[in-house]
Structures are given as C-alpha cells and as structure tokens.
Amino acid sequence: MLLEFDADQRLWQETVRDAVGKQCPASFVRNVAEDGTDPTPLWKSYVDAGWTELTDTENAVELAIVLEELGRATDPTPFLATLTQFAPLVGDRFDPQGSGSAVYSGISAYRDADGWVLSGTDRFVLDGDRADRFAVVTDAGVFLVGADAVTTRRAATFDPVLHVAEVSLAGAHVADSDRLEVDTERARHIALLGISITMVGACQRILDLALEHAKSRYQFGVPIGSFQAIQHKAVDMHVAIERARALSYFSALTIAADDPRRRLAAAMAKASAGECQALVFRHGLQTFGAMGFTWENDLQFALKRAKAGELMLGGAAEHRAMIAEEFDATLI
C-alpha cells in the first residue's frame, strides 16, 4: 500500500483546501456560532461541487482528504454525519442532494401486520436535528426512516457549531422495503475514519494557530517561539498529528481496498486521533496562555471540534482495549 498521495490526490487536496478556505473561513464559523447564521448555503455548495457523491468505498482516501480540510475549518454543515455515518448504512438508497444521520442505539424493532414498528430514543445523534432521513440501527436490521417519523431535540454542547440531538421514535411504522441489507461493520469503520480524520484536521488548525502566535507574540524582546519550551511543545504536537494522520489514511486505504485489516486500522486511527487531541489541546492552549481561554480567539473552535471527536463513537481508551484484545486473540 502506498502511504503518499499521488498527483491526482495532491491536486484534489489543493482544490478542496482552496474551496474550503474561501467558503468556510473562521469569520463564517464565528457568525454561525454568535449570530446563528444558516450554514445551508455552504452545504449546498458542497453538494453542487459533487463532494456528497464520494460514497463509493474506492473513494475513501479522497473522502478523507475532504474531511480533513473540513475538520481544519470547523465545518458547520451536516457533511460528516451524512457522508460517513448515514451514507455507508443506506448504500444505493443514498441521495447526494439530501442530508442524513445515523441512529446507532436505543431503538427496538418488532414486526406487525404492516411491516415493522420502531420505538426508543438515542440521546446523542450527530446532526439528528437537521437530517432529512435517518439510518436506524436495531437488532432486527437497519431501517431507513424519514425526518417526519421522528421527534428530535437539539442538545447543548460545548462546540457551538456542532449539532447533536436526542432522537426518538414512538411506534413509527416502517415498510419491509425500508429494511436494508447492509454491512454494518464496514459502515462503522467508515464512521470511525470520518471522526478520526476530522480530529486530525482540527488538531492541525490548533498547531497552525499556535505557530502563528509563537512567531508574533514577543516576550523579553524576542518571539516566544524562540523559547525551547515552546519549540518542544510544537514538535510534540507535530509528531502526534503526523502519527494520527498516517493511521487515518491507512484506515482509508484498507477501506478502499477492502483489506481485512480495516477493522483494526479504524480502531487504531480513532485511538491515535484521541491521544493526539489530548496532547495538542493541552499544548496549543498553553502556547496561547490566558488568550487561549477567550471567546474572541478562534482557537476555541478547533479545540472544541477536536475534543468533541474524542467523545463520539468511543474514546481512545476503548479502542486501545479493542486493539489489545485483537492482538491477544492472535497469540492464543
């Protein structure tokens, strides 16, 4: 497996970075957080650009490139949930024009004369309050449900532009035709990849801001970046990000190639991204000092997006435990 981008992928990365930089600058994210600016036009621009059509597993690396840049920009749209959680669960039923979300737990299903009845509540659904359709995972299978069949309530989170909602179904009737045959394990691997590479992008943004600050902030007549303590923090952040990035793209490669290592690779990517954000969060904030705690500092958005990623789909400790069990099983 090649772990470097080819010419087409480098061009794709440059194209996406340029587009995101123009359409989703820090000022726009702040407007969403402070003034409630509607990010729908930004989402539509992704749709028009064809980014929502990257649903084939063969395009996993290209999708990861987009997600890293969106993580770096603290994207306020439902792209992450739609492309990495909803789309892998619905297969050819996916509509690139609409948004979607995945309900992973809390819902039970039973048959009746008209098909299936779904009931229950999932308290933490990414973009659950603004999705057009839902992929509901139950013990009886995965069901495709419209937004009109669910009740949602957005939950308060520390990331002001992240949408997390409580989603409830109270006896919703679903036809047999909306029960999907899908590889839920592979879908989970894609979801883990999505969260991991988004965290990498957010951590890169923290490092970029920290380096910019270290070059422009003077103490004792010199930039603070000349101090060895700051240099060590910057190097530690860089190494942690590169490690997490490499594992995330390795996960994307295993998904694209349907490599049997994709389960382990996805867990390694999520564990590494979780450990990365813990170090980068700490060092990035310390580099800024008291300024890092202020609302006026754009650092907060990247910090919160990176930390939110750790709390979704299992943290670093959980995935490290799974990796350890996997290796223990091979030794028996």
Side-chain angles (χ1 to χ4, degrees):
M1 281 187 175
L2 291 176
L3 292 178
E4 294 184 1
F5 292 158
D6 59 28
D8 289 340
Q9 290 167 337
R10 287 194 296 271
L11 178 60
W12 175 241
Q13 183 184 49
E14 293 170 3
T15 302
V16 172
R17 182 171 297 173
D18 181 63
V20 173
K22 292 177 180 178
Q23 299 175 33
C24 187
S27 58
F28 178 77
V29 176
R30 181 170 290 277
N31 288 338
V32 174
E34 293 182 344
D35 304 323
T37 299
D38 186 5
T40 300
L42 179 60
W43 161 254
K44 293 299 183 184
S45 73
Y46 299 162
V47 173
D48 293 340
W51 294 1
T52 55
E53 296 177 14
L54 294 171
T55 55
D56 194 311
T57 53
E58 294 181 357
N59 296 322
V61 174
E62 287 70 23
L63 176 60
I65 289 172
V66 175
L67 291 168
E68 181 178 357
E69 295 306 319
L70 294 183
R72 191 173 183 170
T74 317
D75 174 55
T77 76
F79 188 91
L80 176 63
T82 301
L83 269 291
T84 70
Q85 298 186 11
F86 176 74
L89 287 170
V90 300
D92 58 7
R93 301 285 293 275
F94 178 69
D95 177 9
Q97 299 294 319
S99 61
S101 183
V103 180
Y104 289 114
S105 63
I107 308 298
S108 61
Y110 66 88
R111 289 195 65 92
D112 72 355
D114 299 319
W116 295 86
V117 179
L118 307 185
S119 298
T121 299
D122 189 340
R123 294 181 58 199
F124 304 105
V125 178
L126 183 61
D127 284 313
D129 61 314
R130 56 180 178 176
D132 297 321
R133 296 188 298 169
F134 294 84
V136 182
V137 181
T138 73
D139 290 340
V142 177
F143 296 88
L144 184 60
V145 177
D148 56 348
V150 307
T151 301
T152 65
R153 179 176 63 85
R154 185 178 180 183
T157 64
F158 54 81
D159 184 336
V161 297
L162 187 73
H163 285 243
V164 176
E166 179 180 281
V167 175
S168 299
L169 292 96
H173 282 82
V174 181
D176 277 316
S177 59
D178 287 326
R179 181 174 179 269
L180 310 175
E181 296 294 333
V182 61
D183 185 346
T184 55
E185 183 182 15
R186 176 182 289 184
R188 179 171 174 79
H189 301 159
I190 298 172
L192 288 173
L193 164 64
I195 292 289
S196 301
I197 196 63
T198 296
M199 294 167 67
V200 169
C203 288
Q204 184 63 57
R205 173 65 171 163
I206 296 169
L207 176 57
D208 291 344
L209 291 172
L211 290 176
E212 182 181 331
H213 178 71
K215 293 174 183 177
S216 60
R217 176 71 171 176
Y218 278 67
Q219 288 289 344
F220 309 109
V222 296
I224 64 172
S226 65
F227 301 151
Q228 192 175 55
I230 297 296
Q231 293 173 0
H232 285 180
K233 290 183 185 300
V235 170
D236 288 346
M237 287 190 282
H238 173 73
V239 171
I241 291 169
E242 287 300 306
R243 174 173 172 266
R245 178 180 286 121
L247 285 168
S248 291
Y249 280 108
F250 176 68
S251 174
L253 284 168
T254 61
I255 291 170
D258 197 20
D259 190 301
R261 294 173 293 176
R262 56 184 165 81
R263 177 172 179 269
L264 191 59
M268 291 170 65
K270 187 61 166 68
S272 181
E275 293 166 352
C276 173
Q277 66 79 28
L279 183 145
V280 173
F281 188 108
R282 183 171 66 252
H283 286 357
L285 197 58
Q286 289 174 349
T287 300
F288 272 88
M291 292 175 62
F293 290 90
T294 63
W295 176 264
E296 291 75 17
N297 195 332
D298 288 336
L299 179 73
Q300 61 157 316
F301 298 114
L303 290 172
K304 292 170 180 175
R305 183 56 53 93
K307 184 62 68 177
E310 167 68 358
L311 302 176
M312 290 187 280
L313 302 182
E318 178 181 335
H319 288 286
R320 272 201 168 276
M322 191 281 284
I323 294 166
E325 291 176 3
E326 189 91 0
F327 277 109
D328 285 344
T330 64
L331 298 175
I332 296 177

